[in-house]
Amino acid sequence: MNKRDKEFTASAGGVPGGAADAGERNIAPATHSPHPPAAAGPASGVSRPHESARAQVAGSATYIDDIPEVRGTLHAAPVMSNVAHGVLRGVDASEALQMPGVRGVVLASDIPADDMLATFVHDEPVLARDKVEHIGQVVALVVADTVMQARRAARKVVLDIAPLPAILSPRDAHAAHSYVLPPVTVRRGDADAAMRQSKHTLGGTLEVGGQEHFYLEGQVAYALPLEQDQWWIHSSTQHPGEIQHWVAHALGLENNAVTVECRRMGGGFGGKETQAGHVAVWAALAANKFKRPVKMRLDRDDDFLITGKRHPFAYDYTVGFDDDGLITAFKLTMLANCGFSADLSGPVADRAIFHTDNAYFLSDVEIVSYRCKTNTQSHTAFRGFGGPQGVIVIETILGDIARELGLDAFDVRMRNLYGTSDRNVTHYQMKIEDNILEPLMTRLEQTSSYRERRSAIHNWNATSPIIKRGIAITPVKFGISFTATFFNQAGALVHVYTDGSVQVNHGGTEMGQGLNTKIAQIVADELGVPFERVRSTAADTSKVPNASATAASSGTDLNGRAAQYAARNVRDNLAAFVGGMDGCGAGAVSFAGGKVTTPKSTRSFDEVVKAAYANRIQLWSDGFYRTPKIHYDKTTLTGRPFFYFAYGAACSEVAIDTLTGESRVLKVDILHDVGTSLNLAIDIGQIEGGFIQGMGWLTTEQLVWNDKGLLTTHAPSTYKIPATGDIPAHFTIALWHEPNREDNVGGSKAVGEPPFMLAISVWEALRDAVAAARGPASAVEMQAPATAENVLMALQAAAQ
């Protein structure tokens, strides 16, 4: 260990709340108490193991590529453009067709119906036709007996492309007026007049990179043609209903001819919300041409080159503020790099606007959002869905204001927080009715020993010429609901069998986040049966139709409530039946611990079910839920787009090496709001995973396109997600004590996306450390992610 490594390590100790006392306060899966027996109490509100955990550990959990292949199954591989923008003049597959096992090639001309994908904007071809618009765009498919035969042959297909000028950055796209959608402007007050009256002003730019989803299971689909023009599609997708629609649209069929099933995904993070549809459509087209089942699984490098990422953003801003750091005026231009087609860029960029305030009241504000078309992959949903790109810019600005005024950034943030009785309406005209920001931030300030650590870090930096440390607390206020209001609906089916066992099916999809586990807990409690008696089954469009994507952190909110309503219908049937037998009202019948109790008797649930069946009582039901209260004008982006907000805050401490730009996250303390937790272990796991993924976005995960438009970071060798060694030794998580103030299932709050933005505290801590190195009274200009190179450039820029 060299001197700087020792200093990195040493800098983690000696501060109140540091690594030395982390063991007492750390919350991690390894320290959870044993799971209580099912009969000991309610199924919800306690830690339960993930419903597939044992199967996953044993290797018996089935993913798409594990499904036994039907005899005669063929395999497809993509032929991709090697030019960022150009005219497609020809496809020469002659050499590929001579290779062993190759059955043929699928081109745009083989599409039996519409050759454009069934997206909302209808702007993306299924396969490139007369032009290509990014390196990696799929032009054709090679179909062969084995996956490796198909992949080898695909490399032999020669494309004749006449290059055209390519646009590779959002700033270049903006200059060329190249957009996938029209710009959107949101205003409140008079930002220009307020800016002129502001005592202080700052202006600047910021560049924030995208992020690869890097799901463990890549994009994969298995298309099986059935009798009478029917299809069965196995797809690793967050949105089976959209896969159904896209495949039917490409094949010229009605939706009822296509059934899509997804038992589980090996991760999604938004990357399988729309873009799983491409692979499913391609597999179906190949199966349609060759009249055989076809599986298509992308190689990891191809997956990188074909699929979209988190949207990179560029920003230009001017902010006015007073002597205490209170923002008095704000003007912001957001340039979203959407890639070559719209995909979900409209709602992503909208949510970035919605979350530009984060936790802070903006009195006079103007935000202009441009949705820029570039010759790169079509960027798409990613955990946070534009929220992180909104939050990071306001947090960056508040850090700069604090340094400009010589104030503590925490105090500046507290000064700008939303209020409870006033200063409580967002810039999109939604009143905040559940604000817990001030008490939550204050508690974290105390429990993390922020003030003491800030003082100790100041003393450290005064005596350490090379290793500099920084610390920051940042909050999050994240709106929960789909911004497309019509997606806020869900359905479910609950079946009670004659042996008392229960099966639930719903429109959500399981991608490792524990959705099926939570829904089984909800159903078990509604019926009063042990958790182990409830089994969740695969998402299936033939069971619950028209289901929304499992996204927007709303999987449990929507599908859990629908499943609860379905179970309640069955319970009500049983209660009426038992009440009739015992001469009491249905309201006097209770269900708990596997027992059904009336004022006159107690029976086992199984006994009641058998008797009900014998008396022809319905033992299954559907349930439907639509989110209440939400509404907004899509033209002006005003109204109430969210049912409620989830809140949280994180205190992060970092160290940087001023000679190399290397950095390390030393300590993280999180206080997060999940309402009443349905499953403590799963919720904490989501907080941990979300934070670390956000940390990766802002530190190591850098996407690099060269001047030809090639994504050069297209493999684990060049694209670096956080590893175990990047996890801080001190990593504590505490949960806010209050249930959801809105009537949400179990009093819970969504937990999938909000923790991601807590990692912006790492970004701000790194900028704090850079400021400590460069000295007072100069701005910190750094681009995200804060790789070693970007940190070093920020240090060198400060020294000039």
Side-chain angles (χ1 to χ4, degrees), residues 121-136:
V121 182
H122 205 244
D123 65 341
E124 185 173 350
V126 175
L127 296 167
R129 299 164 299 178
D130 54 355
K131 65 178 178 179
V132 295
E133 297 191 83
H134 75 92
I135 293 178

Side-chain angles (χ1 to χ4, degrees), residues 63-237:
Y63 295 86
I64 303 299
D65 207 31
D66 300 320
I67 296 171
E69 294 171 4
V70 174
R71 180 181 298 175
T73 293
L74 302 176
H75 298 264
V79 178
M80 301 177 293
S81 170
N82 58 0
V83 175
H85 189 206
V87 176
L88 179 60
R89 298 187 296 202
V91 178
D92 181 1
S94 56
E95 185 176 355
L97 292 172
Q98 301 303 312
M99 296 182 70
V102 173
R103 298 303 179 108
V105 174
V106 178
L107 299 168
S109 58
D110 294 309
I111 302 171
D114 191 356
D115 60 4
M116 299 294 284
L117 291 169
T119 62
F120 288 115
V121 182
H122 205 244
D123 65 341
E124 185 173 350
V126 175
L127 296 167
R129 299 164 299 178
D130 54 355
K131 65 178 178 179
V132 295
E133 297 191 83
H134 75 92
I135 293 178
Q137 183 173 1
V138 177
V139 175
L141 310 171
V142 173
V143 181
D145 293 336
T146 71
V147 62
M148 293 312 298
Q149 287 173 336
R151 288 177 180 174
R152 292 188 188 104
R155 268 55 175 177
K156 299 297 184 180
V157 176
V158 178
L159 303 178
D160 181 8
I161 301 172
L164 295 171
I167 297 174
L168 301 176
S169 78
R171 293 194 183 277
D172 288 344
H174 184 46
H177 298 91
S178 174
Y179 308 116
V180 297
L181 293 165
V184 172
T185 300
V186 173
R187 294 185 181 92
R188 176 166 63 180
D190 189 336
D192 288 320
M195 196 74 70
R196 289 192 295 270
Q197 296 170 9
S198 296
K199 189 163 185 180
H200 306 276
T201 60
L202 276 178
T205 65
L206 179 66
E207 309 284 332
V208 176
Q211 187 176 22
E212 165 64 30
H213 300 88
F214 218 106
Y215 22 65
L216 287 178
E217 176 200 34
Q219 299 280 4
V220 58
Y222 188 20
L224 293 96
L226 306 176
E227 62 172 275
Q228 302 180 66
D229 287 329
Q230 297 180 77
W231 290 79
W232 193 278
I233 309 292
H234 294 281
S235 173
S236 182
T237 177

Side-chain angles (χ1 to χ4, degrees), residues 84 220 265 340 401 428 464 676 786:
V220 58
M265 288 164 275
F340 82 101
I401 289 172
Y428 48 91
S464 175
T676 299

Side-chain angles (χ1 to χ4, degrees), residues 156-420:
K156 299 297 184 180
V157 176
V158 178
L159 303 178
D160 181 8
I161 301 172
L164 295 171
I167 297 174
L168 301 176
S169 78
R171 293 194 183 277
D172 288 344
H174 184 46
H177 298 91
S178 174
Y179 308 116
V180 297
L181 293 165
V184 172
T185 300
V186 173
R187 294 185 181 92
R188 176 166 63 180
D190 189 336
D192 288 320
M195 196 74 70
R196 289 192 295 270
Q197 296 170 9
S198 296
K199 189 163 185 180
H200 306 276
T201 60
L202 276 178
T205 65
L206 179 66
E207 309 284 332
V208 176
Q211 187 176 22
E212 165 64 30
H213 300 88
F214 218 106
Y215 22 65
L216 287 178
E217 176 200 34
Q219 299 280 4
V220 58
Y222 188 20
L224 293 96
L226 306 176
E227 62 172 275
Q228 302 180 66
D229 287 329
Q230 297 180 77
W231 290 79
W232 193 278
I233 309 292
H234 294 281
S235 173
S236 182
T237 177
Q238 295 174 237
H239 199 175
E242 187 164 75
I243 300 293
Q244 177 191 41
H245 176 52
W246 282 23
V247 169
H249 182 81
L251 296 179
L253 303 171
E254 292 189 315
N255 286 355
N256 64 7
V258 179
T259 297
V260 178
E261 179 180 328
C262 178
R263 173 61 182 90
R264 62 174 60 83
M265 288 164 275
F269 309 117
K272 296 177 180 177
E273 184 172 346
T274 60
Q275 304 217 345
H278 301 69
V279 179
V281 169
W282 294 334
L285 289 174
N288 181 68
K289 179 173 181 175
F290 295 99
K291 310 304 178 188
R292 300 266 289 273
V294 171
K295 181 189 288 185
M296 186 170 187
R297 175 172 57 85
L298 296 184
D299 172 86
R300 178 68 68 178
D301 293 80
D302 293 348
D303 201 319
F304 264 84
L305 292 172
I306 292 170
T307 62
K309 325 297 176 192
R310 181 185 298 282
H311 289 66
F313 267 58
Y315 313 82
D316 299 309
Y317 59 86
T318 307
V319 61
F321 50 97
D322 66 15
D323 288 339
D324 296 322
L326 180 71
I327 292 176
T328 52
F330 184 37
K331 295 190 69 173
L332 174 67
T333 298
M334 311 175 89
L335 306 178
N337 184 344
C338 303
F340 82 101
S341 69
D343 193 81
L344 293 171
S345 295
V348 166
D350 288 350
R351 189 174 274 266
I353 293 173
F354 288 140
H355 287 81
T356 294
D357 62 336
N358 189 22
Y360 312 109
F361 179 76
L362 302 173
S363 58
D364 293 87
V365 57
E366 178 182 284
I367 302 171
V368 184
S369 169
Y370 293 93
R371 294 88 198 272
C372 300
K373 179 174 181 176
T374 61
N375 294 116
T376 63
Q377 294 81 358
S378 186
H379 298 308
T380 190
F382 200 128
R383 196 177 201 164
F385 201 79
Q389 292 97 316
V391 173
I392 191 172
V393 66
I394 192 68
E395 294 297 344
T396 298
I397 289 168
L398 286 168
D400 287 343
I401 289 172
R403 279 182 284 276
E404 177 75 10
L405 297 174
L407 300 175
D408 190 304
F410 177 81
D411 296 328
V412 172
R413 290 185 167 92
M414 294 294 286
R415 180 73 179 86
N416 282 280
L417 289 178
Y418 277 106
T420 53

Side-chain angles (χ1 to χ4, degrees), residues 536-557:
S536 297
T537 58
D540 185 332
T541 57
S542 67
K543 293 183 178 180
V544 176
N546 312 317
S548 299
T550 304
S553 299
S554 60
T556 301
D557 289 6

